[in-house]
Amino acid sequence: MWDNIPWPEDHIYLRNFREREHEELRRLLYPKGSGAQPRTIVLHGPAGVGKTTLAMKVVLHWAEGLLFQHSFEYVFYISCHHIRDMEDTTLVGLLSRDWADSQIPIQHAMTHPERLLFVIDGFEEMTLPSEVDHRPPCTNWDQRLPAASILLHLLKKELLPTATLLVTTRDCLSEDLKQLLLHPWCLQIPGFTEGDQKEYFFRYFRDRNEANKVTQWVRKNEALSHACSAPLVCWTVCSCLKRQMPRRPSFWLNAQTTTSLYAYFFSSVFETAEVSWSKQCWSEQWQALCSLAAHGMWSSNFTFSKEDVGHRRLRAPLIRCLLRLNILRKVSDCEDCLTFTHQSFQVFLGAMFYVLRGKDGAVGGLSKHQEMRVVLDDALVDANSYWHQTALFTFGLLNQDLARQVEDALHCQMSPRIMDELLQWAEELSVSDMVPYSFELPPFFQCLYETQEETFVKQVLSHLLEADLEVGDLQLQATSFCLRHCQRLSKLRLSVSCLLPQTELTSRRDTSG
């Protein structure tokens, strides 16, 4: 599995310091030095920051005799997206899937369950059985059950209560996990720090000046700054900017939003698509691909089977092209399965689905317009990170220049009514009971900033009469942009907490003098 991870050719993966990594991995299972070993450890963090990579390295380095040889006699890797599609089985059957000769010395293994480590990867892809709390406990590892139920009993410590669990997930605080895990020890995987990002940009461009410019630009953009904790987002940024440099030697960073960066990335890579189709055929295929992405987000599905792809009528030439361009990749431990190289690609295409011409929703039952309203409502009151990103990209694609660029490059058609539909949604939102209690303005301002459409922003904010804002340095740019267009704002409480560079403070004092 490790050897088959397909990285883009010019991607620089910085976390290759084995000694430092081993120390990190040891701290996972023995965080207090000589203290007691936690029995349930949860690695959590946004998509792409390295949770699965770290989990796989635990298994790999244990197998190579480099880690935990005296702690665990057996280590099992369980992929949650596999569990979704498995038939009824036993714990023995579940564990023997990847065993070399399909014969686990199970009696020996179960004699000392405290020497077993289960690495359970990608909990967010699990579809939990209904009525989790009301199911009878299961202590028999030879009982035949749905695979998801077996994993549930393992997580609840009903099966092998003294075994150690290492779980990876995007949200450690999800209700599903809370009701399952017994005394979990949560550890956030931060991914690339600002220093890592700077080093990445320097190694990619081999120019300190350019690396500093890109780092400062990313630092000012809240959405992009968070996203760049994922190494592959750094690769996307660098790849896109490198393609732009021959056309825009001055880097042209200030005018770029997160949406424009992704739009340019997709537009530029498809200049070499090598697929000769009519405009109509391209339009249909983009609808199909974006529908697959959106449907996956609704169902928390980030791994797509051959049947999923076939159901959306995606053609083989486009799939091969997306694989070659590093937008899709094959899943190393799942035959015929595909996933987006990074979740942000899926989110961008999911957002594109809602701005493309067409009426049918991605899930079925609701129209595209109704689905979009649900997404936007949830995005601005919920902590779900990919709904936030979906809303951000949806608004960003309203920019008329950007929309024309995407239409021309990708041979697709944007909905002519999308801006009116969003204005109607914003107007209804302004009189909704939801706004005073759970609606937060800073994320909404970030969405409006992405449009860079001043007339539209003025119309949306014409209903805003008062605001209570607490703004950090990453939100300053978007907040400043939106406040300039609040024409009817009469009452404002503004709290700003940010660090201004010394040079900026000096220049301001000089100017005022």
Side-chain angles (χ1 to χ4, degrees):
M1 284 173 62
W2 179 258
D3 291 339
N4 289 333
I5 295 175
W7 301 110
E9 188 176 340
D10 54 349
H11 174 50
I12 304 147
Y13 192 71
L14 296 181
R15 291 195 61 178
N16 54 1
F17 308 107
R18 176 163 289 189
E19 187 177 341
R20 189 183 80 181
E21 247 178 16
H22 281 193
E23 190 57 39
E24 288 177 358
L25 293 173
R26 287 189 188 98
R27 281 202 298 268
L28 285 181
L29 297 178
Y30 298 96
K32 299 176 183 176
S34 59
Q37 172 185 339
R39 290 297 180 187
T40 302
I41 302 118
V42 181
L43 305 181
H44 66 103
V49 295
K51 301 183 298 294
T52 293
T53 300
L54 199 57
M56 288 172 67
K57 282 195 173 185
V58 169
V59 182
L60 180 70
H61 291 184
W62 172 83
E64 292 175 340
L66 301 171
L67 275 179
F68 307 137
Q69 287 300 294
H70 301 297
S71 306
F72 303 111
E73 195 165 1
Y74 297 98
V75 176
F76 301 99
Y77 178 88
I78 300 174
S79 171
C80 288
H81 76 251
H82 268 170
I83 297 291
R84 292 168 68 123
D85 302 319
M86 280 184 66
E87 297 176 355
D88 288 7
T89 185
T90 63
L91 177 62
V92 178
L94 175 64
L95 301 182
S96 63
R97 281 169 54 90
D98 297 319
W99 200 262
D101 58 2
S102 296
Q103 292 297 317
I104 300 179
I106 196 70
Q107 294 293 344
H108 176 68
M110 298 305 177
T111 305
H112 298 286
E114 72 280 358
R115 292 181 57 77
L116 303 180
L117 171 63
F118 293 92
V119 178
I120 300 168
D121 188 29
F123 177 80
E124 69 278 352
E125 294 206 51
M126 273 291 296
T127 303
L128 292 182
S130 58
E131 299 179 344
V132 169
D133 288 334
H134 304 294
R135 291 180 162 249
C138 170
T139 57
N140 181 4
W141 40 264
D142 213 24
Q143 184 177 347
R144 194 169 188 84
L145 292 167
S149 294
I150 292 173
L151 188 57
L152 180 148
H153 294 301
L154 193 62
L155 289 166
K156 291 178 77 172
K157 292 289 187 172
E158 293 171 356
L159 284 169
L160 309 174
T162 58
T164 300
L165 307 180
L166 181 64
V167 184
T168 75
T169 185
R170 289 177 189 168
D171 182 11
C172 185
L173 300 176
S174 75
E175 289 303 319
D176 287 340
L177 265 184
K178 282 182 183 178
Q179 62 182 319
L180 288 178
L181 300 184
L182 188 66
H183 308 305
W185 191 77
C186 294
L187 179 71
Q188 184 173 10
I189 304 299
F192 273 3
T193 63
E194 189 177 336
D196 292 328
Q197 293 171 27
K198 191 172 184 177
E199 183 184 351
Y200 190 102
F201 299 144
F202 172 67
R203 288 199 192 185
Y204 195 99
F205 292 111
R206 299 188 180 280
D207 184 290
R208 186 72 64 187
N209 239 1
E210 291 177 352
N212 286 338
K213 284 181 186 176
V214 177
T215 304
Q216 289 168 15
W217 171 65
V218 167
R219 186 73 185 89
K220 290 177 182 177
N221 186 319
E222 182 182 19
L224 199 56
S225 183
H226 289 311
C228 278
S229 61
L232 273 168
V233 175
C234 288
W235 169 77
T236 305
V237 169
C238 292
S239 176
C240 178
L241 293 178
K242 190 175 182 180
R243 290 171 184 272
Q244 292 191 57
M245 285 166 69
R247 304 176 188 183
R248 300 173 178 137
S250 62
F251 250 61
W252 202 61
L253 286 177
N254 290 335
Q256 297 202 58
T257 61
T258 306
T259 310
S260 67
L261 185 83
Y262 274 79
Y264 190 88
F265 174 80
F266 277 88
S267 300
S268 60
V269 296
F270 270 89
E271 288 176 349
T272 58
E274 297 178 5
V275 179
S276 300
W277 285 336
S278 67
K279 190 170 182 177
Q280 178 63 29
C281 190
W282 266 114
S283 183
E284 291 170 357
Q285 285 296 284
W286 277 111
Q287 278 279 3
L289 179 65
C290 294
S291 174
L292 178 76
H295 186 271
M297 291 192 302
W298 278 98
S299 56
S300 297
N301 186 21
F302 308 99
T303 303
F304 302 97
S305 66
K306 191 176 182 179
E307 290 71 27
D308 293 329
V309 173
H311 178 69
R312 299 287 161 175
R313 298 181 180 175
L314 280 166
R315 297 190 184 183
L318 179 60
I319 297 297
R320 288 195 297 269
C321 181
L322 292 167
L323 289 167
R324 182 176 61 81
L325 296 174
N326 296 307
I327 292 168
L328 286 178
R329 65 176 175 84
K330 293 183 178 179
V331 180
S332 57
D333 60 336
C334 181
E335 189 177 358
D336 294 327
C337 287
L338 298 170
T339 186
F340 287 90
T341 304
H342 186 257
Q343 180 188 284
S344 60
F345 291 168
Q346 180 174 346
V347 175
F348 179 81
L349 292 171
M352 247 184 80
F353 175 75
Y354 292 107
V355 300
L356 288 176
R357 188 187 292 269
K359 294 181 179 178
D360 294 334
V363 182
L366 296 177
S367 70
K368 186 181 286 191
H369 174 54
Q370 290 170 319
E371 271 187 15
M372 182 185 69
R373 292 171 71 101
V374 174
V375 169
L376 295 178
D377 286 346
D378 287 351
L380 296 167
V381 298
D382 193 9
N384 187 316
S385 61
Y386 56 80
W387 283 148
H388 279 298
Q389 277 191 302
T390 306
L392 191 82
F393 286 140
T394 302
F395 275 88
L397 286 166
L398 295 181
N399 182 278
Q400 295 183 22
D401 292 338
L402 199 61
R404 279 193 292 271
Q405 176 189 319
V406 171
E407 282 183 324
D408 293 343
L410 302 183
H411 312 294
C412 58
Q413 290 183 306
M414 299 293 188
S415 167
R417 297 196 66 251
I418 182 65
M419 198 172 280
D420 291 336
E421 289 172 352
L422 279 171
L423 281 171
Q424 182 187 350
W425 167 79
E427 187 173 345
E428 292 175 11
L429 190 71
S430 68
V431 296
S432 163
D433 291 337
M434 177 178 72
V435 176
Y437 301 107
S438 54
F439 183 82
E440 293 189 13
L441 276 175
F444 186 47
F445 279 1
Q446 185 69 51
C447 289
L448 293 175
Y449 174 75
E450 283 289 307
T451 69
Q452 294 293 299
E453 290 286 348
E454 296 190 6
T455 302
F456 172 78
V457 173
K458 284 178 183 176
Q459 286 178 282
V460 170
L461 294 176
S462 64
H463 305 286
L464 189 64
L465 304 180
E466 59 181 76
D468 188 343
L469 292 166
E470 293 185 11
V471 180
D473 54 348
L474 293 180
Q475 300 159 325
L476 200 56
Q477 195 173 32
T479 303
S480 173
F481 174 83
C482 289
L483 287 178
R484 286 199 304 272
H485 297 98
C486 293
Q487 295 177 316
R488 298 179 61 198
L489 187 67
S490 59
K491 184 179 179 181
L492 171 66
R493 191 190 76 85
L494 178 64
S495 171
V496 180
S497 57
C498 63
L499 295 174
L500 295 174
Q502 186 62 38
T503 52
E504 189 173 344
L505 288 170
T506 305
S507 66
R508 287 188 178 186
R509 281 199 300 268
D510 292 345
T511 302
S512 62

